[in-house]
Amino acid sequence: MSYNVKLPAFEGPMDLLLHLIGKNEIDIYNIPIAIITQQYMDYLKIAGEFDLDITSDFLVMACTLLSIKARMLLPKKLVEIDMEEENDPRQELVERILEYKEYKERAGTFKEMELQQAKCFSRETNDLQLLKKFPPANPIGSLVVEDLIVTFNNILKKMEKRNLTVSLSREEITIQNKIDYIYFSLMDKPNGTSFLKLFSDKADKEEIIVTFLALLELIRRGIIIFEQNCLFEDIYIFLNQITEGDKENAYSFS
Amino acid sequence: MPTLFPDDTKNIIEALLFVSNEPLSAKMLADIIGRSQEDIVLLLKDIKADCEREMRGFCLIEIAGGYSFVTRPEYASYVEKLVKPRLNTLTQAALETLTIIAYKQPITRSEIDEIRGVKSDSAVSTILERLLIYEVGRKDGPGRPILYGTTPAFLKYFGLKNIKELPTFNAHNITKDA
């Protein structure tokens, strides 16, 4: 089995298997395991020579194929003693291949939808306007970003006054993590939560800043809204009710 | 509550849809205007028919749990001169990962890896960043792995009405489906 110089790079072992099955016009329900394994190993060898990236996933599949091939070579007598019923060693692999094939095809449909939807435009998102149109239930004082910044500075000063303990575990906190955390915390709090409650007691400066940035991003996207009873007091944040409605529709699956 | 002539309601719906920067649900429209949801839906159908019959530059679609005016795809090249075009389209890996999450949510990263036969870490990061998926919670069991689900932005990205309206496929090939 020889390959052209233009060696296709595959997304992963499943992709490669599907390609081999298609290329050889193999019936998925009756895979000639020896042939497939041979071609698969041939590909890995050639890919190595061409310096293509063979990830460990490819090697795991190689082992799987070889193991299935070995089991198929075992004399039937031994097989019947060891197993309760006669299992086709290829069964599990076939199911996996079929499942992957199915999702690959579905992904193709989504690709078309993506391209189609990219041609349709709606009004640009203008978050501030949306906030004005749907004020929070208790609209005491509408905040502007300057208020937030002032309050944030005050909170930072308050935190600095506390004894800073050396934190031993250095976990990297990303803004995305904090965005998800804030969003998720708010999901079952219809009455919102306070800004200060977002931090653990041992929050260091980095965590506070990252949380604040996450908050700003969520506000910018119109996902949450905020209010403050008095200047320099704590800030309360809520999920924007519009997005909540979207979410309910988005998550009632089946 | 001011009395409205029946004709006005349709115009009011149009006005609200025109100015809104998010899809509006029939319920929301009904609440704002003070008419029943059934009336609103009928009028929305009317508006949609009007736009199509008159071949307007925009049309009315149902998307992400609500209704929205969107420009006709035929005029995309012109609109793109005015509006920032969308981000790059998704890679094959990201698309496959997203498709799996859409149909199997909530699902963990390793469950996705099993189906794809490869590690999906970078694909998951990409679609997380794009806010197409988010962390729904954690699965019970060792390691308490993170569960992922799709967001409303996902619906908008692919032009879906709601998560129930995912394209259906013949499931006969998938023997492991729940």
Side-chain angles (χ1 to χ4, degrees):
Chain A
M1 223 61 44
S2 59
Y3 287 85
N4 294 328
V5 176
K6 277 201 190 123
L7 202 63
F10 293 99
E11 290 271 341
M14 301 295 268
D15 221 8
L16 171 55
L17 278 180
L18 267 185
H19 167 83
L20 292 174
I21 288 171
K23 180 176 187 287
N24 290 289
E25 291 175 359
I26 285 171
D27 173 17
I28 288 188
Y29 295 95
N30 193 15
I31 299 176
I33 201 72
I35 297 176
I36 282 292
T37 306
Q38 185 58 50
Q39 292 192 5
Y40 186 92
M41 301 305 280
D42 283 345
Y43 174 82
L44 290 195
K45 182 164 172 244
I46 296 176
E49 285 167 17
F50 276 87
D51 228 352
L52 282 184
D53 189 26
I54 299 294
T55 61
S56 58
D57 301 308
F58 279 97
L59 299 175
V60 168
M61 180 57 76
C63 294
T64 307
L65 288 171
L66 289 168
S67 143
I68 295 174
K69 181 174 164 188
R71 281 164 74 194
M72 301 232 6
L73 287 174
L74 282 175
K76 272 218 169 144
K77 266 196 235 163
L78 280 173
V79 168
E80 274 164 29
I81 292 173
D82 281 347
M83 302 188 208
E84 289 163 353
E85 36 168 295
E86 249 188 75
N87 272 336
D88 187 344
R90 299 168 296 180
Q91 180 69 17
E92 199 188 316
L93 180 66
V94 168
E95 283 175 11
R96 284 181 64 195
I97 293 175
L98 285 173
E99 189 174 28
Y100 174 72
K101 182 166 186 266
E102 180 70 25
Y103 281 109
K104 189 166 175 199
E105 281 165 15
R106 292 186 187 187
T109 304
F110 272 82
K111 183 81 194 165
E112 285 165 19
M113 288 160 63
E114 179 191 30
L115 293 173
Q116 185 59 29
Q117 194 59 27
K119 294 191 199 144
C120 301
F121 296 85
S122 60
R123 180 174 294 281
E124 281 295 296
T125 307
N126 185 343
D127 300 271
L128 288 178
Q129 263 194 5
L130 193 60
L131 286 175
K132 243 192 263 173
K133 282 171 71 64
F134 298 95
N138 192 11
I140 298 177
S142 46
L143 277 176
V144 285
V145 176
E146 284 72 29
D147 297 326
L148 261 184
I149 295 174
V150 168
T151 310
F152 175 64
N153 273 326
N154 290 332
I155 292 173
L156 212 55
K157 280 188 196 139
K158 276 190 207 165
M159 298 253 166
E160 276 171 1
K161 282 187 190 148
R162 300 191 306 191
N163 290 332
L164 287 174
T165 52
V166 175
S167 66
L168 291 171
S169 60
R170 194 95 183 92
E171 246 189 67
E172 200 189 279
I173 306 167
T174 67
I175 298 183
Q176 183 59 54
N177 286 349
K178 278 296 176 183
I179 285 176
D180 294 340
Y181 169 72
I182 294 173
Y183 188 92
F184 193 59
S185 319
L186 283 176
M187 266 180 79
D188 44 38
K189 293 194 178 80
N191 293 324
T193 188
S194 90
F195 184 55
L196 281 173
K197 287 217 181 79
L198 290 175
F199 307 106
S200 58
D201 280 340
K202 298 202 173 59
D204 60 6
K205 201 164 177 178
E206 182 194 344
E207 189 182 334
I208 298 173
I209 291 172
V210 172
T211 306
F212 189 64
L213 288 172
L215 207 66
L216 288 178
E217 179 63 19
L218 284 165
I219 291 169
R220 186 186 77 80
R221 289 185 189 270
I223 294 175
I224 62 174
I225 50 183
F226 51 91
E227 67 175 25
Q228 191 184 30
N229 287 338
C230 292
L231 215 50
F232 304 128
E233 293 273 300
D234 198 2
I235 303 166
Y236 284 85
I237 55 179
F238 309 78
L239 270 184
N240 189 343
Q241 290 310 313
I242 316 303
T243 323
E244 260 299 290
D246 281 350
K247 272 205 149 302
E248 269 161 27
N249 282 334
Y251 297 118
S252 42
F253 179 50
S254 96
Chain B
M1 188 74 64
T3 50
L4 297 166
F5 289 87
D7 290 346
D8 271 9
T9 309
K10 189 161 137 188
N11 291 341
I12 293 171
I13 295 175
E14 279 185 358
L16 292 169
L17 288 173
F18 177 83
V19 82
S20 172
N21 47 32
E22 292 281 343
L24 293 173
S25 67
K27 177 172 187 328
M28 200 169 303
L29 288 165
D31 285 348
I32 294 174
I33 299 176
R35 293 282 291 254
S36 76
Q37 225 172 302
E38 290 79 24
D39 284 353
I40 299 289
V41 170
L42 281 173
L43 290 169
L44 282 164
K45 284 203 170 79
D46 245 11
I47 296 173
K48 185 182 170 93
D50 288 346
C51 292
E52 274 163 27
R53 187 179 53 248
E54 294 166 30
M55 288 297 290
R56 314 220 66 163
F58 51 86
C59 39
L60 181 67
I61 60 167
E62 259 191 274
I63 188 171
Y67 294 81
S68 173
F69 281 133
V70 294
T71 61
R72 279 192 184 280
E74 299 94 280
Y75 306 128
S77 54
Y78 291 99
V79 181
E80 272 162 17
K81 292 187 180 159
L82 195 63
V83 169
K84 255 191 295 181
R86 286 179 108 173
L87 297 171
N88 293 332
T89 54
L90 295 168
T91 61
Q92 182 62 23
L95 206 55
E96 272 176 25
T97 307
L98 191 52
T99 307
I100 292 170
I101 295 176
Y103 284 92
K104 296 210 122 186
Q105 57 185 307
I107 186 174
T108 65
R109 197 174 293 207
S110 58
E111 284 164 351
I112 300 169
D113 290 350
E114 257 194 65
I115 296 175
R116 292 191 61 224
V118 285
K119 297 205 183 24
S120 311
D121 287 34
S122 69
V124 169
S125 296
T126 304
I127 52 184
L128 256 178
E129 258 172 44
R130 297 250 234 156
L131 298 181
L132 295 168
I133 61 169
Y134 83 118
E135 294 177 16
V136 180
R138 287 184 180 263
K139 189 171 182 173
D140 289 329
R144 303 250 301 143
I146 298 173
L147 289 163
Y148 295 97
T150 56
T151 61
F154 163 82
L155 296 173
K156 286 188 207 152
Y157 191 80
F158 291 101
L160 292 163
K161 288 185 202 174
N162 55 57
I163 204 66
K164 290 181 207 155
E165 299 270 336
L166 285 176
T168 48
F169 296 88
N170 264 329
H172 64 270
N173 278 334
I174 301 193
T175 49
K176 280 202 232 171
D177 244 4

